[in-house]
Amino acid sequence: MAFPHRPDAPELPDFSMLKRLARDQLIYLLEQLPGKKDLFIEADLMSPLDRIANVSILKQHEVDKLYKVENKPALSSNEQLCFLVRPRIKNMRYIANLVNADKLAGRTRKYKVIFSPQKFYACEMVLEEEGIYGDVSCDEWAFSLLPLDVDLLSMELPEFFRDYFLEGDQRWTNTVAQALHLLSTLYGSFLNCYGVGRCARMSYELWRKLEEEEDSETKGRKPEIGHIFLLDRDMDFVTALCSQVVYEGLVDDTFRIKCGSVDFGPEVTSSDKSLKVLLNTEDKVFNEIRNEHFSNVFGFLSQKARNLQAQYDRRRGMDIKQMKNFVSQELKGLKQEHRLLSLHIGACESIMKKKTKQDFQELIKTEHALLEGFNIRESTNYIEEHIDRQVSPIESLRLMCLLSITENGLIPKDYRSLKTQYLQSYGPEHLLTFSNLRRAGLLTEQAPGDTLTAVESRVSKLVTDKAAGKITDAFSSLAKRSNFRAISKKLNLIPRVDGEYDLKVPRDMAYVFSGAYVPLSCRIIEQVLERRSWQGLDEVVRLLNCSEFAFTDMTKEDKTSSESLRLILVVFLGGCTFSEISALRFLGKEKGYRFIFLTTAITNSARLMEAMSEVKV
Amino acid sequence: MDWDLKEELRDCLVAAAPYGGPIALLRNPWRKEKAASVRPVLEIYSASGMPLASLLWKSGPVVSLGWSAEEELLCVQEDGAVLVYGLHGDFRRHFSMGNEVLQNRVLDARIFHTEFGSGVAILTGAHRFTLSANVGDLKLRRMPEVPGLQSAPSCWTTLCQDRVAHILLAVGPDLYLLDHATCSAVTPPGLAPGVSSFLQMAVSFTYRHLALFTDTGYIWMGTASLKEKLCEFNCNIRAPPKQMVWCSRPRSKERAVVVAWERLMMVVGDAPESIQFVLDEDSYLVPELDGVRIFSRSTHEFLHEVPVASEEIFKIASMAPGALLLEAQKEYEKESQKADEYLREIQELGQLTQAVQQCIEAAGHEHRPDMQKSLLRAASFGKCFLDRFPPDSFVHMCQDLRVLNAVRDYHIGIPLTYSQYKQLTIQVLLDRLVLRRLYPLAIQICEYLRLPEVQGVSRILAHWACYKARMWDETQGHLDEDVARAINQKLGDTPGVSYSDIAARAYGCGRTELAIKLLEYEPRSGEQVPLLLKMKRSKLALSKAIESGDTDLVFTVLLHLKNELNRGDFFMTLRNQPMALSLYRQFCKHQELETLKDLYNQDDNHQELGSFHIQASYAPGERIEGRVAALQTAADAFYKAKNEFAAKATEDQMRLLRLQRRLEDELGGQFLDLSLHDTVTTLILSGHNKRAEQLARDFRIPDKRLWWLKLTALADLEDWEELEKFSKSKKSPIGYLPFVEICMKQHNKYEAKKYASRVGPEQKVKALLLVGDVAQAADAAIEHRNEAELSLVLSHCTGATDGATADKIQRARAQAQKK
């Protein structure tokens, strides 16, 4: 469904401004190094950069050759080198090696490092330790928000998830706060703020501080965005771990959508070439099916094909003049549509081939059983078989995590045996993966009573002051229980259905999971927006283990028109899935809201698991 | 003058700052040899003679005094040291003019002002010049030698041309110009002949003009570039003048020089006559932008050229529009009809606008409020008859005059003229008030002029707070806490006030505790942290940095701590700050692996230590022995962490590694780093069934896994015979459906059918459908009377071939429903 919005739904702000800003800044930075230069780009930045400035723009600003930052010596012969990198220590060492090699060879060149979205002190320190701090000039490209679509902004920071939720590294919260600050400067301040999660709270407070520091300038702007909701990914791992069955999610799970575009291989394009396709509202066909449950997509596409044929057929019986009109005006559009249609049909076929096998249905069945909490034993056996058959390391891990979270941890016997089986199947190095998963609370053991580790209890004994109080919370969050079952009951996440759930005419957000489960994250947002506060949700918040980190901040006077109040910015810290986006788009359509999504990165179950995996070097 | 001078001015070193600045006096005991034992007193007065400071001079002999542009007193000592004092006699700093000066002593010194700041020029005993153009940013410059200079020059001065400071000196009848590199002889154009020596020279305030006084009593006036003569004058007095200064107004065409002797003062210019004044008292001249200040024991006067506007208005029988307007207004006040006549006269000439402007301008130059008032009243009266006269000039003049009158007040003592005030700007004036600790007046001025808070009131409050922080100390019974609170009460959250600046000031005078208290009020943690670090309160800095949420800030503190503390203490500190700890760990992971290990060790974090060693065992290029050793360490750590599972798993991994190594040696091929499952599979695929089974037993591979494994491997080999043998070895723990599936995957329908028959009843229908036996599947389904199975079979019925089967199912369904 193209989600025809209610007539009273507000207009979306124009986010293309963000792109222009980023482009202008980049050009400015490139001009800072006049003359011909070679540009070294970090692999992760290539796709985002491509969305901002293509090669010809770079060439216009005297970029000569483009290189990828990788562990190979660079063969650039240019006198000026420019590095466009994320602030990572690894990159600093790469640059240092390059510069030091030049020094050994007695060569002097100009080096410039552009950090995106910001530089970190640690990076500069490494440059200093390597003895090249004086040889390079550093700059920041504050490109933190990439509009992937009219309603979707991504920070393209997939490492946020691991850094924050696994390593406890808060370095990116400041970046989030600055991104929010940028939004509020451009589109007006946010009137009502809600959030849940430790990181949400921190980012929010940092953002407020930024606002206070220079409030005089932004105050004049009329607010466009009525509400902002910040949500930590660890509030809801379940939704992110489920298999996606909405078209866009499914395409992401199957082909991996990268920075808003996807590489369709030969099996989809039915030619011998791969094709890179941009997936967004511009793609008329995609726009109509992106939020659809997969079971409807094929029917829709064939209907569309018939319509298209009919339009082509109109040619017959046209006179010359009409024909001229047709060719000059409609044909191009039809051809375009035709091309897109065949692509998506190809993609559907490819997905069907992979997913409609028996295996996939069993998998979905198991997932649903886990969500609903029945036949746990059977599901556990299924997972074991899954591991024994070496179906896929990531999938097996995902199912184990799903089982653990929905069941508040595995019972000790299963915990051991599943892990043993897993190590035997996929290699012993995953011992580290399990340690990571335990730390992040994704795969834990049901333990009676004493859940605090030695360190944690020592810490809690040592600290008394306020700042340290927060820390003990952070620690206990490591060992926290997910309480999924109780939350599910409280928030009615498993809809009771009499008869078949009609996926063609969905009744609630559960349609994104075939009617079996309403995504927890979306439900929380729905409930809070309905109440305009956390009132009455105390129990849920307690079960989520974040009584301290749920907050609301309302402006006193609600003078602004209801128009802007219906525009809602949802910030996912640690990534969001396309299913969640689809669900909220559906909610928006039902209630006359318009959602804007800001995420640190688009994620899905596989990405989540990969972030936690320790893979051999 | 308010001062009560004990000494004669002539016995003192005198320095008066321009722009109505303060006056410093130092009785010069070094000139007369006898009274060297008495310590002289350095006294500082405001321009109105109010004492500001008085202190005993304890350092060496002073050659010259001078004020910098920041109103700091520079005292140049004989040994070349320059001591800097504040307005209130507080010692600020000192600097030296270099070794050469130290050796040769200072003969003479001048303090001069350029656009860069204030400079010092020194003439040493060796008759060389050393110069620094800006004492704020001290760069000493030794000027080139003057050829043949045997004795001190008769007079010299500093010039500033093209932003470079030069020195002009006179030796006998010759003039020399020194710049950085060269010494060139110069001759002023049109100089009268017969000059054998120059006695005095004077440069104008703006460095544009130069005046030379010769031993013939002749005065040459020209441009400072010595390219043009403006005029000359012969006063016929051959005695060397005490002082000679320019007295001219910017942009005025009149040039005049004031020359003072002991009892005579003469104003000479481009006129055959001079104006002479008799000096009753010992006087001192201070050159100003637009005139000369003359002060003595009892008086302080200002001599300047009468501004054009004032002249026009007050000239006797002036018919200038301004004069008429003033007259008109006076008549109007007397309710005389003459007012109208005057007004009409101006209007007829169309000069009313001009008249108003003249009055406003003239008011600016008046020092007496009643004159100012009457001129402004006249202007305002004239304004009434004008359409659309822009009110700005009038309003601003009123405001400016009010400010000027306030600061000219006796108690404040800053006698600024309007032109000086405009040149100085209000910002600098405020600074000067602050410097004189006249905070209330400064704030009133800010409020009166409605200056933006950040530039105005807050800035002054911040200065006030800094002063308080410095001055209120515990000896006076002010507790740090009270001071901090008092400052906060006054300042509140005034925008633009930086508490960290105030705290820095407090720390600067050694009041660390107060600084910390003040920092509490600083809302920006980023500002708190650097100062805390400077004060060596690193731990407090760390918690502040953490509160700020800015990881860069935390990291800065961490590095600081790392250098400051020994390793043990550093780790202990980290342990109490988990946020900092994880940040540092992240850094170590990438940059200092050894430190990471130490960190875990310190914490007795055996779990992480184990993980660390496991990670190490995968280091590229590590030999097998090293890897096993690393794993052993890891296993030990896991035991200590009471994580038996991980320990066992690690031990298994060690066994597996050794075994894989052996397999590679014995069988060849690639085994290392395969998982257990893959190792067994590889063995089966390469036909080493025995070994495979041995391995499975050794590592206690569960039956189910083994069956899956073998099944897949044998099917991959397409060893159907072995597969069948295997299937019959015992009852399959995974059922027989997987056999069917795997055969079909290899497209071996024949083999698949064999196993289909052995599939258990629940999965029979599925298996039969898989091998494509729809008819039998239908039979089975009917037999089971299972609705779901029936429809499954039905969905597989395609085309004509299965027509009969479909019918059969439909019939069975119908029957079932009947029952």
Side-chain angles (χ1 to χ4, degrees):
Chain A
M1 68 214 99
F3 281 168
H5 280 274
R6 272 181 18 183
D8 62 344
E11 284 292 310
L12 288 169
D14 174 21
F15 289 123
S16 60
M17 201 196 305
L18 292 168
K19 272 194 196 174
R20 282 201 304 276
L21 268 177
R23 178 163 55 229
D24 291 352
Q25 207 200 348
L26 180 67
I27 289 172
Y28 172 78
L29 288 172
L30 288 176
E31 297 277 302
Q32 298 284 87
L33 196 65
K36 280 220 175 301
K37 60 216 152 224
D38 281 357
L39 187 62
F40 288 70
I41 308 170
E42 176 162 6
D44 289 1
L45 270 169
M46 283 187 158
S47 309
L49 177 68
D50 199 42
R51 301 289 301 265
I52 296 298
N54 52 27
V55 176
S56 66
I57 290 183
L58 295 178
K59 296 264 167 186
Q60 269 172 32
H61 298 278
E62 296 184 274
V63 170
D64 196 18
K65 289 196 190 97
L66 293 167
Y67 294 90
K68 198 159 141 188
V69 171
E70 54 195 345
N71 275 333
K72 268 191 274 175
L75 300 164
S76 164
S77 60
N78 213 309
E79 282 313 302
Q80 302 199 87
L81 306 183
C82 188
F83 301 89
L84 186 58
V85 291
R86 291 264 185 240
R88 291 175 184 144
I89 289 174
K90 189 184 86 204
N91 293 328
M92 295 307 105
R93 287 235 284 285
Y94 170 82
I95 295 169
N97 287 340
L98 208 144
V99 176
N100 282 326
D102 277 359
K103 274 190 184 170
L104 270 180
R107 189 160 185 200
T108 42
R109 307 202 237 196
K110 267 195 173 172
Y111 313 94
K112 183 187 187 72
V113 185
I114 301 176
F115 293 98
S116 174
Q118 66 178 111
K119 66 181 168 197
F120 287 127
Y121 184 60
C123 291
E124 290 179 291
M125 239 227 15
V126 173
L127 290 179
E128 207 179 317
E129 277 183 5
E130 302 281 341
I132 60 157
Y133 188 66
D135 302 304
V136 299
S137 61
C138 295
D139 256 311
E140 285 181 331
W141 182 30
F143 164 50
S144 53
L145 287 172
L146 173 68
L148 289 179
D149 209 335
V150 286
D151 60 350
L152 176 56
L153 307 172
S154 167
M155 297 180 68
E156 293 296 316
L157 283 176
E159 65 252 60
F160 182 100
F161 179 69
R162 185 174 165 125
D163 279 349
Y164 185 81
F165 293 105
L166 179 62
E167 313 277 6
D169 184 339
Q170 306 174 355
R171 67 167 93 182
W172 296 115
T173 39
N174 226 345
T175 319
V176 173
Q178 280 185 2
L180 289 179
H181 184 57
L182 176 66
L183 280 184
S184 68
T185 318
L186 293 177
Y187 305 103
S189 203
F190 319 124
L191 294 178
N192 306 302
C193 306
Y194 320 95
V196 64
R198 196 176 139 74
C199 186
R201 171 141 217 163
M202 245 164 38
S203 314
Y204 173 74
E205 278 167 5
L206 280 176
W207 167 68
R208 287 247 50 123
K209 239 186 251 172
L210 283 178
E211 294 281 290
E212 278 161 23
E213 264 170 40
E214 47 173 294
D215 49 0
S216 45
E217 287 162 45
T218 52
K219 258 178 189 155
R221 218 177 135 80
K222 184 177 152 284
E224 283 186 51
I225 296 164
H227 305 263
I228 168 172
F229 197 110
L230 297 107
L231 185 102
D232 279 15
R233 184 71 268 174
D234 68 346
M235 289 299 110
D236 175 20
F237 280 135
V238 175
T239 307
L241 286 173
C242 290
S243 298
Q244 306 193 65
V245 285
V246 169
Y247 184 66
E248 194 169 10
L250 205 46
V251 171
D252 188 31
D253 275 0
T254 324
F255 304 101
R256 293 256 169 149
I257 299 178
K258 204 170 146 200
C259 210
S261 67
V262 66
D263 276 320
F264 280 138
E267 80 274 13
V268 176
T269 52
S270 47
S271 64
D272 47 0
K273 285 184 299 194
S274 295
L275 193 63
K276 194 169 173 183
V277 185
L278 218 53
L279 294 179
N280 57 26
T281 340
E282 306 276 288
D283 180 340
K284 291 281 176 305
V285 178
F286 176 69
N287 194 34
E288 288 191 69
I289 52 175
R290 67 195 311 185
N291 301 312
E292 279 286 352
H293 188 273
F294 188 67
S295 60
N296 302 334
V297 170
F298 220 72
F300 174 85
L301 288 178
S302 56
Q303 179 60 42
K304 189 92 187 164
R306 273 197 292 281
N307 290 350
L308 203 61
Q309 189 58 47
Q311 289 201 340
Y312 273 124
D313 287 347
R314 277 196 307 142
R315 277 178 306 179
R316 281 174 217 151
M318 278 183 182
D319 58 28
I320 297 264
K321 202 172 168 202
Q322 285 169 320
M323 190 64 118
K324 196 176 155 203
N325 253 340
F326 176 80
V327 171
S328 64
Q329 287 167 9
E330 287 175 54
L331 195 59
K332 200 168 160 235
L334 287 179
K335 280 226 165 116
Q336 167 82 354
E337 208 168 327
H338 184 127
R339 198 181 60 86
L340 292 170
L341 198 57
S342 63
L343 262 181
H344 287 294
I345 291 175
C348 277
E349 273 175 354
S350 184
I351 292 170
M352 294 267 261
K353 242 184 242 157
K354 283 178 190 154
K355 301 287 184 184
T356 48
K357 279 193 217 137
Q358 206 90 36
D359 299 357
F360 188 63
Q361 286 181 5
E362 299 251 320
L363 186 74
I364 296 277
K365 222 172 82 190
T366 310
E367 273 180 32
H368 290 174
L370 288 175
L371 290 169
E372 286 170 52
F374 69 83
N375 282 345
I376 296 304
R377 183 71 358 232
E378 212 166 89
S379 302
T380 315
N381 288 341
Y382 176 83
I383 296 171
E384 197 174 342
E385 190 189 306
H386 201 269
I387 298 170
D388 283 350
R389 293 172 59 190
Q390 289 186 304
V391 179
S392 139
I394 290 298
E395 283 276 281
S396 302
L397 209 54
R398 173 173 78 87
L399 289 172
M400 283 166 77
C401 292
L402 201 56
L403 174 66
S404 164
I405 294 187
T406 50
E407 286 299 301
N408 252 344
L410 303 181
I411 53 174
K413 191 177 130 277
D414 288 345
Y415 185 60
R416 277 154 187 273
S417 79
L418 282 179
K419 280 204 305 191
T420 313
Q421 296 300 315
Y422 193 90
L423 294 178
Q424 289 190 354
S425 266
Y426 302 118
E429 67 272 16
H430 286 289
L431 195 57
L432 299 175
T433 309
F434 286 128
S435 147
N436 288 345
L437 288 170
R438 202 184 85 89
R439 192 134 48 106
L442 275 162
L443 183 60
T444 53
E445 185 176 0
Q446 281 178 12
D450 179 42
T451 49
L452 291 180
T453 64
V455 186
E456 291 153 17
S457 51
R458 202 176 319 128
V459 167
S460 50
K461 250 178 260 157
L462 271 169
V463 289
T464 41
D465 60 311
K466 190 184 105 208
K470 286 183 194 162
I471 290 144
T472 27
D473 280 316
F475 262 86
S476 51
S477 78
L478 295 181
K480 75 185 179 196
R481 299 149 65 83
S482 62
N483 299 322
F484 177 75
R485 197 73 59 221
I487 295 169
S488 166
K489 213 168 271 158
K490 263 256 147 1
L491 288 176
N492 202 13
L493 297 182
I494 312 293
R496 255 168 263 296
V497 197
D498 311 315
E500 196 86 336
Y501 187 97
D502 188 357
L503 291 167
K504 285 209 168 63
V505 194
R507 293 172 306 159
D508 55 19
M509 294 188 283
Y511 93 94
V512 300
F513 291 115
S514 312
Y517 162 65
V518 180
L520 169 57
S521 50
C522 306
R523 179 69 102 195
I524 295 175
I525 293 167
E526 177 197 25
Q527 291 294 315
V528 172
L529 284 178
E530 214 160 76
R531 287 156 220 255
R532 296 269 156 109
S533 80
W534 288 95
Q535 217 168 21
L537 295 171
D538 311 340
E539 183 65 12
V540 177
V541 170
R542 197 183 59 75
L543 289 169
L544 284 169
N545 293 307
C546 58
S547 322
E548 263 193 71
F549 302 120
F551 58 92
T552 26
D553 189 0
M554 317 269 286
T555 34
K556 300 288 169 296
E557 64 254 86
D558 260 358
K559 265 190 266 173
T560 23
S561 61
S562 60
E563 174 85 3
S564 73
L565 285 177
R566 289 165 172 277
L567 208 52
I568 299 153
L569 175 68
V570 184
V571 184
F572 284 93
L573 299 162
C576 78
T577 64
F578 281 118
S579 295
E580 286 168 309
I581 293 178
S582 291
L584 287 176
R585 281 182 185 145
F586 171 83
L587 182 70
K589 188 194 74 166
E590 293 282 296
K591 308 251 166 161
Y593 295 136
R594 219 42 208 274
F595 283 99
I596 304 160
F597 306 95
L598 194 173
T599 175
T600 50
I602 293 290
T603 193
N604 63 15
S605 55
R607 290 193 188 99
L608 225 55
M609 291 295 106
E610 279 159 15
M612 289 289 158
S613 295
E614 293 289 342
V615 195
K616 281 178 281 187
V617 196
Chain B
M1 290 296 270
D2 201 28
W3 55 18
D4 182 21
L5 287 185
K6 294 181 200 74
E7 309 284 339
E8 287 296 322
L9 274 179
R10 73 168 76 94
D11 292 336
C12 300
L13 281 176
V14 182
Y19 294 103
I23 305 166
L25 297 178
L26 180 65
R27 197 176 60 95
N28 193 343
W30 303 289
R31 203 177 281 166
K32 304 173 220 156
E33 276 103 48
K34 50 169 189 162
S37 59
V38 186
R39 287 195 186 281
V41 180
L42 173 69
E43 286 173 317
I44 300 173
Y45 296 94
S46 77
S48 57
M50 300 271 277
L52 292 173
S54 164
L55 62 149
L56 266 182
W57 187 256
K58 291 176 183 160
S59 314
V62 174
V63 176
S64 174
L65 292 177
W67 292 94
S68 74
E70 292 83 32
E71 297 202 319
E72 283 176 327
L73 183 62
L74 307 174
C75 312
V76 185
Q77 291 196 141
E78 204 181 41
D79 59 1
V82 181
L83 305 176
V84 184
Y85 285 87
L87 193 60
H88 297 272
D90 43 326
F91 177 74
R92 293 274 165 83
R93 61 201 153 92
H94 72 95
F95 57 89
S96 160
M97 291 302 285
N99 274 332
E100 196 261 333
V101 179
L102 181 66
Q103 278 161 21
N104 295 321
R105 318 308 278 174
V106 180
L107 216 57
D108 195 7
R110 298 279 156 81
I111 281 106
F112 59 97
H113 304 275
T114 66
E115 58 254 59
F116 312 115
S118 311
V120 178
I122 279 177
L123 171 64
T124 68
H127 311 307
R128 290 287 298 268
F129 288 94
T130 298
L131 178 146
S132 165
N134 183 3
V135 294
D137 172 25
L138 198 68
K139 280 198 194 86
L140 293 179
R141 201 157 271 146
R142 209 167 154 220
M143 302 307 253
E145 205 170 351
V146 183
L149 185 63
Q150 292 303 322
S151 58
S154 56
C155 58
W156 62 281
T157 187
T158 50
L159 289 177
C160 187
Q161 276 165 356
D162 305 329
R163 330 186 89 220
V164 183
H166 303 278
I167 283 179
L168 182 71
L169 69 153
V171 185
D174 303 316
L175 287 175
Y176 296 96
L177 188 66
L178 297 180
D179 61 19
H180 296 156
T182 56
C183 164
S184 43
V186 284
T187 2
L191 186 72
V195 175
S196 60
S197 164
F198 295 93
L199 298 180
Q200 186 70 270
M201 51 177 76
V203 193
S204 70
F205 201 79
T206 50
Y207 292 103
R208 215 172 279 155
H209 306 304
L210 178 73
L212 301 167
F213 189 94
T214 70
D215 56 347
T216 51
Y218 164 84
I219 302 170
W220 180 91
M221 286 171 261
T223 55
S225 58
L226 289 166
K227 288 206 176 109
E228 199 183 325
K229 183 171 100 169
L230 293 169
C231 52
E232 59 185 9
F233 186 84
N234 206 325
C235 67
N236 294 322
I237 301 175
R238 287 168 178 250
K242 217 176 73 179
Q243 267 185 303
M244 176 165 81
V245 295
W246 280 87
C247 172
S248 61
R249 194 169 272 288
R251 284 179 295 280
S252 159
K253 288 212 175 61
E254 298 290 328
R255 327 270 169 210
V257 170
V258 181
V259 193
W261 288 267
E262 279 300 314
R263 285 285 173 259
L264 178 71
M265 192 171 79
M266 195 182 273
V267 183
V268 301
D270 194 8
E273 294 292 313
S274 66
I275 312 166
Q276 302 199 356
F277 299 90
V278 173
L279 296 174
D280 302 330
E281 278 181 304
D282 198 10
S283 297
Y284 189 82
L285 310 186
V286 188
E288 288 279 6
L289 176 71
D290 52 351
V292 181
R293 275 198 291 148
I294 304 153
F295 65 86
S296 65
R297 263 181 101 91
S298 55
T299 57
H300 193 159
E301 290 166 308
F302 184 60
L303 176 69
H304 66 132
E305 179 199 335
V306 178
V308 181
S310 311
E311 189 188 344
E312 295 262 279
I313 291 176
F314 296 110
K315 200 161 63 180
I316 295 166
S318 167
M319 292 298 278
L324 292 176
L325 181 59
L326 184 63
E327 215 43 46
Q329 202 271 335
K330 278 182 186 155
E331 295 300 333
Y332 171 73
E333 234 152 64
K334 282 189 239 156
E335 297 180 8
S336 154
Q337 83 281 8
K338 275 191 186 154
D340 183 49
E341 280 170 30
Y342 286 127
L343 205 58
R344 209 180 291 274
E345 200 176 329
I346 309 170
Q347 270 171 325
E348 268 163 19
L349 290 167
Q351 288 175 325
L352 191 53
T353 315
Q354 201 192 337
V356 173
Q357 276 163 352
Q358 253 176 9
C359 284
I360 293 174
E361 206 189 320
H365 293 295
E366 281 306 320
H367 279 242
R368 277 170 48 203
D370 52 341
M371 284 309 289
Q372 294 166 356
K373 270 187 207 158
S374 66
L375 283 166
L376 286 174
R377 233 179 255 131
S380 130
F381 175 68
K383 236 152 51 81
C384 301
F385 302 94
L386 280 172
D387 294 338
R388 267 177 287 171
F389 180 83
D392 299 8
S393 58
F394 183 78
V395 173
H396 286 151
M397 182 56 77
C398 291
Q399 288 177 337
D400 289 342
L401 280 176
R402 200 147 174 212
V403 172
L404 279 174
N405 289 337
V407 298
R408 281 169 190 163
D409 183 276
Y410 194 68
H411 301 281
I412 309 297
I414 306 180
L416 276 182
T417 65
Y418 182 74
S419 328
Q420 289 167 17
Y421 168 67
K422 281 292 151 192
Q423 179 76 19
L424 200 62
T425 72
I426 181 68
Q427 296 302 341
V428 180
L429 178 62
L430 287 173
D431 282 347
R432 299 207 159 172
L433 288 173
V434 165
L435 215 55
R436 285 164 174 74
R437 294 176 196 155
L438 299 165
Y439 304 106
L441 177 66
I443 288 178
Q444 272 168 4
I445 290 178
C446 290
E447 279 167 358
Y448 173 65
L449 294 180
R450 296 209 186 93
L451 291 181
E453 282 214 329
V454 179
Q455 294 171 27
V457 176
S458 342
R459 209 160 57 110
I460 290 152
L461 280 175
H463 278 290
W464 168 81
C466 289
Y467 170 65
K468 285 292 162 205
R470 208 168 56 228
M471 298 312 286
W472 284 353
D473 54 27
E474 307 224 326
T475 53
Q476 291 167 20
H478 294 293
L479 290 175
D480 287 334
E481 211 152 314
D482 299 339
V483 176
R485 201 176 309 124
I487 289 175
N488 176 248
Q489 261 168 15
K490 198 143 246 157
L491 266 58
D493 293 331
T494 327
V497 171
S498 159
Y499 280 95
S500 57
D501 283 354
I502 304 169
R505 200 62 72 89
Y507 174 65
C509 23
R511 308 199 50 196
T512 314
E513 283 307 315
L514 175 61
I516 291 171
K517 294 265 155 39
L518 283 169
L519 275 183
E520 291 289 317
Y521 294 109
E522 172 65 54
R524 289 161 300 169
S525 317
E527 300 287 313
Q528 296 175 323
V529 173
L531 187 61
L532 284 172
L533 282 182
K534 214 160 119 196
M535 299 194 293
K536 306 231 177 309
R537 300 297 164 110
S538 321
K539 287 180 190 172
L540 189 58
L542 185 59
S543 40
K544 289 281 176 205
I546 290 171
E547 256 176 59
S548 80
D550 181 346
T551 49
D552 269 9
L553 211 54
V554 178
F555 208 84
T556 319
V557 183
L558 278 183
L559 288 185
H560 202 92
L561 279 172
K562 194 179 156 195
N563 295 331
E564 190 181 283
L565 303 174
N566 64 39
R567 219 171 163 78
D569 290 347
F570 177 53
F571 286 168
M572 273 306 281
T573 315
L574 279 182
R575 212 154 89 174
N576 299 336
Q577 301 283 12
M579 187 263 190
L581 181 62
S582 45
L583 195 70
Y584 191 63
R585 269 191 201 156
Q586 278 283 79
F587 175 73
C588 289
K589 243 177 223 179
H590 291 106
Q591 191 70 1
E592 292 177 18
L593 273 178
E594 280 307 302
T595 316
L596 186 65
K597 198 171 76 185
D598 294 347
L599 257 175
Y600 291 142
N601 259 325
Q602 172 93 11
D603 274 0
D604 293 330
N605 192 341
H606 297 296
Q607 173 65 33
E608 288 299 328
L609 210 52
S611 300
F612 175 83
H613 287 296
I614 294 226
Q615 196 100 52
S617 83
Y618 288 107
E622 185 70 77
R623 295 177 53 81
I624 188 101
E625 293 79 18
R627 295 183 57 178
V628 171
L631 286 173
Q632 184 61 55
T633 330
D636 292 348
F638 284 135
Y639 274 122
K640 277 190 201 148
K642 298 211 171 62
N643 187 343
E644 300 220 350
F645 175 81
K648 285 260 154 51
T650 311
E651 283 171 354
D652 280 351
Q653 162 66 356
M654 284 156 62
R655 268 167 63 210
L656 185 63
L657 263 182
R658 289 205 192 97
L659 199 112
Q660 285 171 334
R661 176 64 183 277
R662 213 163 57 231
L663 286 174
E664 279 190 6
D665 287 350
E666 290 169 17
L667 306 175
Q670 182 78 43
F671 283 98
L672 274 180
D673 280 334
L674 291 182
S675 72
L676 180 61
H677 189 111
D678 292 342
T679 313
V680 179
T681 309
T682 317
L683 282 174
I684 295 177
L685 286 178
S686 53
H688 300 285
N689 277 329
K690 276 266 167 56
R691 288 257 188 173
E693 265 158 41
Q694 181 62 39
L695 202 62
R697 265 198 304 281
D698 284 355
F699 283 88
R700 273 184 249 122
I701 294 185
D703 254 4
K704 273 190 188 171
R705 170 188 294 281
L706 197 61
W707 275 73
W708 276 112
L709 192 160
K710 270 198 156 174
L711 173 63
T712 329
L714 290 173
D716 276 354
L717 282 175
E718 305 202 19
D719 188 347
W720 305 118
E721 205 176 315
E722 187 65 31
L723 184 63
E724 193 167 355
K725 227 193 277 168
F726 170 58
S727 77
K728 285 174 182 159
S729 63
K730 64 174 181 179
K731 193 173 176 291
S732 162
I734 52 172
Y736 290 92
L737 185 62
F739 282 77
V740 180
E741 280 171 355
I742 211 130
C743 291
M744 287 311 291
K745 216 183 234 164
Q746 303 284 352
H747 307 293
N748 193 333
K749 205 170 189 173
Y750 172 75
E751 287 292 329
K753 277 191 175 159
K754 278 189 198 165
Y755 300 110
S757 56
R758 292 165 68 181
V759 173
E762 298 104 69
Q763 291 173 318
K764 191 118 196 173
V765 175
K766 252 190 220 170
L768 287 168
L769 283 176
L770 263 176
V771 297
D773 197 339
V774 183
Q776 274 204 44
D779 287 345
I782 292 166
E783 196 182 316
H784 293 159
R785 291 186 189 153
N786 184 322
E787 180 56 37
E789 283 180 6
L790 281 172
S791 36
L792 185 68
V793 178
L794 203 54
S795 69
H796 275 77
C797 292
T798 44
T801 43
D802 298 326
T805 324
D807 290 346
K808 202 163 151 192
I809 293 169
Q810 297 295 11
R811 271 202 306 282
R813 264 195 176 167
Q815 227 162 26
Q817 267 161 11
K818 257 182 227 162
K819 282 175 192 171

